[in-house]
Amino acid sequence: MLKLIPQPRKIDYKSRKKIPLNHIALGENQLSPQAQEDFLDFCHMPGGEPNIIFVTDNSLGEEEYVLETNEKIVIKASGAPGQLYALQTLKQMIFQCEGCLPQVEIEDGPEYKIRGFMLDSGRYFFPVSDVKKIIDRMALHKLNLLHLHLTEDQGWRVEIDKYPLLTQVGSMRKKTNFNHTPHGGFYTKKDIKEIVEYAHAFCIKVMPEFDIPGHSRAAIACYHELTCFPRDLPVADHWGVKHDVLCVGKESTMKFVYDVLDAFFEMFPDEYIHIGGDEVPKHRWDLCPHCQAKRRELGLKDSDALQFWFMNQVKDYCKAHGRQAFMWSWELEDASAIDTDLGFTKCGEMETGDRPFIDTSTDAYYIDLPYGYISLKDSAEHKVYSGNCLGVEGTLWTEYVPNMKKADRMSFPRIGCISETGWHGTCGWKSFSKKLDYYYSFLDKNGIGYALPDMANPKFPRNKLSVLWFERRQLAWEGLTNIMEDKKIEKIAKKAKE
Ligand code: ACM
Ligand code: ZN
């Protein structure tokens, strides 16, 4: 019996016959040169007469394929995505069948349209070479959306011509949480083009994230007037939710936001864009004359309503440019103020009506969190939230993920579960655990790191220790800084009023 991740829709074993495989050569197809090379590199077999034959079948959906093994291997698909996914399945068959394939017919296609991976390149910068490795890992798992979190309190990671300081100043943090060395980096426009082209070669779309109006301290460090009470604020160098956010009461802020979006639209051609919206403390807005004037002008009841107005405005701008916008559902108490065409990356079971969403459950798919919080079993057992679900996404925040080694250890084997749920519709520990040994060997074969079983499903006290280690983030320290800054701003605001 074949073990495959993600599980295909249907496998038919046609006979007990084993089909010897001595060479590999691809017939005419619609795949990119990179995808073909990737497959041939993996197989590492002699070439010759084409023995993998591609048949165009327009009755199949864009990502569906039929794979038949016989004297030749026949792949039916309507285009490149189906062909690519057939080859990814075939890689796993070749790997476990050692020179002989079983005679099968596999009919396959995804349950969900979106299967994503989010990389937070804001906290730690991941160079293009790492992003390409992540794209390789995604392709192997039939994922099709790379969500790049590009703007953060701790770093601005993408070149914007109109605002050169964003990268000159905003891309560098003086230190990281517990490591007193500066850290930084950014993608040039050429880098972004390279990333987007590489992703497209593997049928992966790129959704950039411009996280606003919160998480904007790197931008504010460059252009102080973007915040309500302008002063010399550096790029954040420590974890935590920051109280200085964009001032949405000023026209100049809106111009900045639209200018940056224009630059994003130019660099990122795919239809999706993420506009953040998470973790926006309202302390500054409540005291800001600009924000309060705007709130009164719009007849809104409070600063929360002002944020929803802002998110809807930004969504409208994206929509006018042909883009589907998403925002985080994080801390959302009432989604009714959000227009129904603004999608969510949905972190919990909150009520979001019929708005479209991508399931990014904090209990299952926040793959940066220690396995003591989210075990592999939790990721496997997660049932997607009901409603207008477009798909699933593994979410790798990087405050404690400084490099690919750690990224792999946090992501795998959990991505196996996310891939299986996104592609097959369900995963489940019972069936996934049976494939786990095979999966580890397949990850090894691909040079991908992972957490071993005792780490991925930690027992007491290991689970508690992993959480404690993570919690060394010193929230108390961060909280104290915020309280002191809040007092300072309250004084300034009071003085201005007098
Ligand atoms: C989030 O977890 N801040 C979206
Ligand atoms: Zn303001």
Side-chain angles (χ1 to χ4, degrees), residues 228 247-249 285 288 290-291:
C228 298
C247 174
V248 299
W285 290 8
C288 171
H290 306 283
C291 287

Side-chain angles (χ1 to χ4, degrees), residues 226-229 245-250 253 284-292 306:
L226 286 172
T227 194
C228 298
F229 296 92
V245 300
L246 295 185
C247 174
V248 299
K250 294 181 202 166
T253 306
R284 306 293 188 262
W285 290 8
D286 287 344
L287 299 172
C288 171
H290 306 283
C291 287
Q292 288 311 312
L306 187 63

Side-chain angles (χ1 to χ4, degrees), residues 485-498:
E485 278 291 302
D486 286 0
K487 292 286 167 231
K488 198 161 100 189
I489 297 301
E490 282 157 25
K491 250 188 221 159
I492 293 172
K494 195 162 162 230
K495 223 179 201 163
K497 238 184 178 170
E498 282 164 10

Side-chain angles (χ1 to χ4, degrees), residues 122-404:
R123 273 52 178 261
Y124 275 101
F125 176 68
F126 285 71
V128 175
S129 55
D130 284 345
V131 179
K132 285 185 171 177
K133 281 186 195 158
I134 286 172
I135 290 169
D136 293 340
R137 285 149 170 67
M138 291 176 66
L140 205 57
H141 289 83
K142 303 187 175 84
L143 304 186
N144 65 1
L145 184 70
L146 174 64
H147 172 178
L148 277 181
H149 183 79
L150 291 168
T151 71
E152 248 312 329
D153 292 317
Q154 293 87 357
W156 183 282
R157 303 297 177 215
V158 58
E159 188 175 46
I160 306 289
D161 288 339
K162 271 195 184 168
Y163 301 91
L165 294 183
L166 289 173
T167 41
Q168 285 168 17
V169 173
S171 68
M172 187 59 71
R173 57 193 285 191
K174 276 209 218 66
K175 63 180 184 68
T176 55
N177 285 330
F178 301 96
N179 185 344
H180 288 261
T181 48
H183 173 84
F186 65 91
Y187 307 114
T188 62
K189 284 201 286 185
K190 191 164 150 282
D191 291 337
I192 295 291
K193 189 163 184 284
E194 195 176 334
I195 290 170
V196 169
E197 283 177 359
Y198 193 73
H200 286 180
F202 290 93
C203 307
I204 291 169
K205 289 178 178 174
V206 183
M207 171 166 72
E209 180 175 349
F210 178 24
D211 194 354
I212 45 178
H215 291 277
S216 296
R217 276 280 302 276
I220 292 166
C222 307
Y223 301 98
H224 301 326
E225 64 281 11
L226 286 172
T227 194
C228 298
F229 296 92
R231 59 206 192 284
D232 193 8
L233 286 165
V235 174
D237 54 19
H238 196 278
W239 164 296
V241 177
K242 312 300 172 196
H243 290 198
D244 288 284
V245 300
L246 295 185
C247 174
V248 299
K250 294 181 202 166
E251 283 308 311
S252 55
T253 306
M254 299 310 284
K255 180 173 182 327
F256 169 79
V257 166
Y258 296 145
D259 282 345
V260 170
L261 285 172
D262 286 343
F264 271 45
F265 297 151
E266 216 171 280
M267 281 184 278
F268 297 96
D270 300 322
E271 70 258 43
Y272 305 119
I273 186 149
H274 204 293
I275 55 175
D278 58 320
E279 297 175 327
V280 188
K282 305 296 182 326
H283 181 268
R284 306 293 188 262
W285 290 8
D286 287 344
L287 299 172
C288 171
H290 306 283
C291 287
Q292 288 311 312
K294 191 77 196 173
R295 182 188 62 73
R296 283 191 299 271
E297 175 198 322
L298 296 165
L300 299 171
K301 76 173 192 307
D302 58 19
S303 292
D304 284 332
L306 187 63
Q307 185 190 344
F308 297 143
W309 166 80
F310 174 77
M311 301 316 296
N312 286 331
Q313 288 290 114
V314 176
K315 177 270 300 172
D316 284 344
Y317 192 79
C318 295
K319 192 174 176 185
H321 289 79
R323 307 300 172 112
Q324 163 74 54
F326 286 90
M327 67 175 279
W328 295 105
S329 69
W330 195 245
E331 293 178 338
L332 194 75
E333 274 172 19
D334 180 11
S336 66
I338 297 293
D339 291 348
T340 51
D341 54 357
L342 176 47
F344 289 112
T345 40
K346 189 162 169 169
C347 307
E349 279 281 17
M350 58 279 289
E351 185 54 56
T352 49
D354 55 2
R355 291 161 190 79
F357 66 86
I358 302 170
D359 187 326
T360 55
S361 166
T362 50
D363 299 330
Y365 296 166
Y366 263 40
I367 54 178
D368 63 303
L369 293 181
Y371 287 93
Y373 274 127
I374 299 177
S375 66
L376 179 61
K377 196 172 164 189
D378 293 334
S379 300
E381 290 281 301
H382 179 69
K383 306 263 184 303
V384 295
Y385 300 132
S386 54
N388 188 5
C389 181
L390 304 177
V392 298
E393 177 179 286
T395 308
L396 187 72
W397 301 101
T398 61
E399 198 52 279
Y400 292 102
V401 182
N403 51 43
M404 275 303 286

